[in-house]
Amino acid sequence: MVSKQHLLTYLYLLVYILLSSGVILYNKWVLSPKYFNFPFPITLTMIHMGFSSLVAFFLIRVFKIVAPVKMTFEIYATCVIPISAFFASSLWFGNTAYLFISVAFIQMLKALMPVATFLMAVICGTDKLRCDVFLNMVLVSVGVVVSSYGEIHFNIVGTVYQVTGIFAEALRLVLTQVLLQKKGLTLNPITSLYYIAPCSFVFLFVPWCLLEKPEMEVSQIQFNYWIFFSNALCALALNFSIFLAIGRTSAVTMRVAGVLKDWILIALSTVIFPESTITNLNIIGYAIGTLLYSILTLIIPFFGFPF
């Protein structure tokens, strides 16, 4: 019989999968010229950051649900600012990719995340180049290459945006581990948003002024407050669900849930966005990049690696 504790864990994972898939599909629908037609990814990201900052401020300063951490100027300058810069960059480039390539292909490219994270960790000195991990990285890379070769509507600009966003996110993850752990700083989702979201908003403001503000002034944009409010609310809920799911499960469980979410999202995107056609090569490449990687990361720690 399944205990109440396990049921709650499954519920958190289900909520995480649904919210993560929903936010991605919602962002694609808002940004796509074929649907809501709001082709301003920096503006959309700034709305998310501004809304998250406001909610975090009220939760900490007004309702006092959680207490702010002890934050010095030195910690803010050396930790929060660089992390916020790469967080803003990853969101900016990732959202911009929706203008050029399909959701399904974006999820396939995201299989590169373990490769990017490993490379950044090796460069930053938090990990060593090991044969078992290197084999996994080669498999993932081969899978992404095969998947890209099979993409019908391949777009180099969108691919570059997405891959750049992936490496920016990988560097953010590594910096978070290096900088915050070195300072002994522990941030929950609310305090993370409280410190990082406003700083990310500022980093996005400069490219917004240069790239999107002039275009928005001359174009007939469609601004529906309910659409943007609900979109930002979903993004905020996703951040909280990730924290709850991680707190209830292990890293391995989250990895498996992530792979399951990606396959569900690829299937859903082809239904919701009919122009997102996937080929057999797409599926084969993605299977190489995710399934074999997941199997090897589960098997190798138990049986070791022969080299």
Side-chain angles (χ1 to χ4, degrees), residues 164-183:
T164 305
I166 287 169
F167 275 88
E169 174 65 8
L171 192 51
R172 180 192 74 85
L173 292 173
V174 174
L175 284 177
T176 301
Q177 178 186 356
V178 173
L179 299 177
L180 296 187
Q181 286 183 0
K182 187 181 292 185
K183 303 294 182 181

Side-chain angles (χ1 to χ4, degrees), residues 38-47 88 92 96 200-217 219 221 223:
F38 187 80
F40 302 106
I42 304 176
T43 306
L44 184 67
T45 309
M46 286 177 66
I47 291 171
W92 167 19
T96 304
S200 296
F201 183 93
V202 173
F203 274 109
L204 290 166
F205 184 75
V206 176
W208 177 76
C209 288
L210 296 174
L211 300 175
E212 291 190 0
K213 184 175 180 291
E215 190 176 345
M216 292 177 72
E217 288 174 349
S219 63
I221 63 167
F223 202 93

Side-chain angles (χ1 to χ4, degrees), residues 94-112:
N95 283 336
T96 304
Y98 289 122
L99 297 176
F100 302 96
I101 53 181
S102 68
V103 171
F105 186 49
I106 284 174
Q107 294 310 118
M108 293 174 188
L109 288 174
K110 283 183 180 179
L112 280 174

Side-chain angles (χ1 to χ4, degrees), residues 151-164:
E151 176 64 16
I152 295 176
H153 306 293
F154 181 81
N155 183 287
I156 187 64
V157 175
T159 303
V160 169
Y161 269 118
Q162 183 58 43
V163 172
T164 305

Side-chain angles (χ1 to χ4, degrees), residues 10 32 50 65 75 87 104 114-115 123 131 135 236 252 296:
Y10 295 144
S32 176
I65 293 177
I75 293 176
F87 183 50
V115 179
I123 291 171
C131 290
L135 174 62
L236 180 68
V252 173
L296 284 174

